[in-house]
């Protein structure tokens, strides 16, 4: 691993860069736009690329990675199994497609994108629910996980990860998995810090990866509510930004790196992804500023997941096991 960017250790002893490039741009940008950002980001110094089959751009991103000239051993490349590939054979096939599209012989991490096999068409509205959607089924999830463990045994996947999961679901997986999760990808930004899940991950040697680290200003309309906070407008974030002479976006990333999660911001604009990288890794926040940032938390989930609800679910809150039990499922 190229040490130009600081890294964090994983449970295997391997190391992962402290900041990465997201590639979720399919709602607003073409695959070529995303690939150009990846190529430019790698030239700027990024070494972690977070991908997913459902984004519809892995072939283009793979071409950009290949064209960058960065040695494979210096990169940490991650992908995800989408909800329509939870059957064990489908999950294996999905990983092989990602390997082919990304033009790599192994993936440093593979995540289960959501813990349910519920999916939706592109640009879905809240009304476009999967008619076959169901709540969490631990036996089915474990069968999928076993298939991915086999890919770790083969050496074509180095680490496994969970995503959009909860403490009750992680507890079940940690009890039953042979290959334990090394990473958990979760929504993390100043107004949604998820301290209980974050601390649970660290306690169990699971590295948090924070998506939407800037508060997801480009999230789909289906996930928007009128009272959603805007992280970069928070008075504390703006005060700290003025003190450091940077944009509030950079404060969100400085905080993420200092706290211990791995942010994966996405931008197609070279001046932005370069500023994100430089800002996140220099001029760190003081202890007083970090304490102030902890008070910014509003518990405000922005990626609510309404399109993944099953028929009898009461609301999107059922997806997140907020009372400490697995809602509606065979947990």
């Amino acid at each position: 691993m190229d040490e130009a960017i600081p890294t964090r250790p994983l449970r295997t002893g391997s190391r992962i860069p402290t900041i990465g490039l997201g590639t979720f741009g399919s709602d607003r940008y073409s695959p070529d736009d995303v690939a150009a950002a990846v190529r430019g980001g790698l030239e700027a110094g990024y070494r972690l690329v977070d991908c997913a089959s459902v984004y519809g751009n892995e072939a283009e991103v793979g071409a950009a990675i290949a064209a960058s000239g960065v040695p494979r051993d210096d990169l940490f490349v991650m992908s995800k199994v989408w909800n329509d590939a939870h059957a064990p054979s489908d999950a294996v096939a999905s990983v092989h497609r990602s390997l082919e599209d990304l033009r790599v012989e192994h993936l440093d991490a593979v995540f289960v994108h959501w813990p349910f096999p519920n999916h939706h068409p592109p640009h879905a509205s809240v009304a476009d629910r999967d008619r076959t959607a169901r709540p969490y089924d631990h036996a089915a999830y474990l069968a999928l996980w076993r298939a991915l463990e086999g890919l770790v045994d083969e050496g074509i996947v180095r680490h496994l990860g969970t995503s959009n999961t909860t403490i009750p679901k992680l507890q079940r997986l940690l009890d039953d998995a042979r290959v334990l999760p090394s990473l958990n990808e979760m929504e993390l930004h100043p107004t949604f810090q998820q301290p209980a899940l974050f601390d649970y991950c660290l306690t169990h040697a699971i590295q948090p990866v924070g998506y939407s680290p800037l508060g997801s200003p480009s999230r789909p309309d289906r996930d928007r509510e009128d009272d959603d906070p805007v992280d970069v407008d928070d008075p504390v974030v703006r005060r700290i930004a003025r003190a450091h002479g940077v944009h509030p976006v950079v404060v969100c990333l400085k905080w993420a790196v200092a706290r211990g999660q791995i942010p994966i911001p996405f931008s197609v604009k070279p001046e932005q992804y370069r500023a994100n990288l430089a800002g996140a890794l220099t001029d760190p926040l003081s202890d007083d500023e970090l304490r102030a940032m902890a008070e910014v938390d509003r518990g405000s989930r922005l990626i609510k997941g309404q399109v993944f609800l099953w028929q009898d679910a009461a609301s999107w809150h059922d997806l997140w096991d907020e009372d400490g039990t697995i809602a509606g499922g065979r947990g």
Side-chain angles (χ1 to χ4, degrees), residues 27-77:
D27 278 6
R28 295 178 181 269
Y29 300 101
S30 72
D32 288 338
D33 290 336
V34 176
V38 170
R39 174 82 181 267
L42 293 175
E43 291 172 353
Y46 288 90
R47 292 297 179 263
L48 166 62
V49 185
D50 178 73
C51 308
S53 59
V54 74
Y55 298 165
N57 54 28
E58 286 193 330
E60 291 80 5
V61 168
I65 291 172
S68 73
V70 177
R72 178 66 184 91
D73 288 346
D74 290 347
L75 294 173
F76 201 100
V77 181

Side-chain angles (χ1 to χ4, degrees), residues 235-257:
V236 172
V237 174
R238 297 189 75 83
R239 172 174 61 79
I240 295 173
R242 288 192 298 271
H244 287 258
V246 297
H247 193 281
V249 160
V250 175
V251 173
C252 295
L253 297 175
K254 288 181 186 294
W255 166 79
V257 171

Side-chain angles (χ1 to χ4, degrees), residues 11 13 29 38-39 49 66 72 102 129 192 213 220-221 273 276 331:
R11 67 165 70 247
Y29 300 101
V38 170
R39 174 82 181 267
V49 185
R72 178 66 184 91
L102 291 167
R129 294 189 191 174
F192 191 60
D221 289 342
Y273 56 68
N276 289 346

Side-chain angles (χ1 to χ4, degrees), residues 189-193 229 234-236 293-301:
H189 46 90
T191 63
F192 191 60
Q193 299 185 18
D234 183 89
V236 172
M293 288 293 290
E295 299 302 317
V296 174
D297 190 14
R298 300 290 180 269
S300 298
R301 187 182 297 279

Side-chain angles (χ1 to χ4, degrees), residues 193-270:
Q193 299 185 18
Q194 299 212 69
L197 178 56
F198 182 85
D199 290 344
Y200 183 88
C201 287
L202 294 184
T203 298
H204 292 86
I206 302 171
Q207 171 62 54
V209 178
Y211 71 74
S212 299
L214 313 178
S216 194
S218 298
R219 66 189 179 279
D221 289 342
R222 63 177 177 263
D223 281 316
R224 296 179 184 272
E225 293 185 358
D226 291 341
D227 60 350
D228 287 341
V230 179
D231 290 72
V232 296
D233 288 344
D234 183 89
V236 172
V237 174
R238 297 189 75 83
R239 172 174 61 79
I240 295 173
R242 288 192 298 271
H244 287 258
V246 297
H247 193 281
V249 160
V250 175
V251 173
C252 295
L253 297 175
K254 288 181 186 294
W255 166 79
V257 171
R259 188 185 187 218
Q261 64 225 37
I262 296 170
I264 45 172
F266 169 74
S267 175
V268 297
K269 297 179 179 179

Side-chain angles (χ1 to χ4, degrees), residues 43-209:
E43 291 172 353
Y46 288 90
R47 292 297 179 263
L48 166 62
V49 185
D50 178 73
C51 308
S53 59
V54 74
Y55 298 165
N57 54 28
E58 286 193 330
E60 291 80 5
V61 168
I65 291 172
S68 73
V70 177
R72 178 66 184 91
D73 288 346
D74 290 347
L75 294 173
F76 201 100
V77 181
M78 312 193 303
S79 188
K80 306 179 191 73
V81 172
W82 183 238
N83 306 359
D84 61 356
H86 274 213
S89 60
D90 292 341
V92 169
S94 174
V95 172
H96 280 282
R97 282 193 301 273
S98 291
L99 287 163
E100 182 177 354
D101 287 344
L102 291 167
R103 305 189 188 190
V104 293
E105 294 184 352
H106 74 272
L107 287 162
D108 296 283
V110 167
F111 297 81
V112 180
H113 209 144
W114 286 80
F116 329 93
N118 311 340
H119 53 96
H120 60 78
H123 311 291
S125 71
V126 174
D128 294 325
R129 294 189 191 174
D130 178 1
R131 293 177 182 272
T132 65
R134 61 164 175 74
Y136 181 73
D137 181 330
H138 183 65
Y141 188 88
L142 190 60
L144 160 62
W145 194 264
R146 294 280 186 244
L148 298 179
E149 288 176 329
L151 300 180
V152 175
D153 295 340
E154 292 179 32
I156 60 175
V157 173
R158 300 287 171 83
H159 304 87
L160 297 182
T162 51
S163 181
N164 296 300
T165 195
T166 62
I167 291 174
K169 295 184 181 81
L170 275 175
Q171 287 175 329
R172 293 299 314 274
L173 182 62
L174 290 172
D175 286 343
D176 295 334
R178 177 172 58 84
V179 176
L180 299 179
S182 294
L183 303 122
N184 180 52
E185 194 160 313
M186 52 198 283
E187 181 183 342
L188 288 172
H189 46 90
T191 63
F192 191 60
Q193 299 185 18
Q194 299 212 69
L197 178 56
F198 182 85
D199 290 344
Y200 183 88
C201 287
L202 294 184
T203 298
H204 292 86
I206 302 171
Q207 171 62 54
V209 178

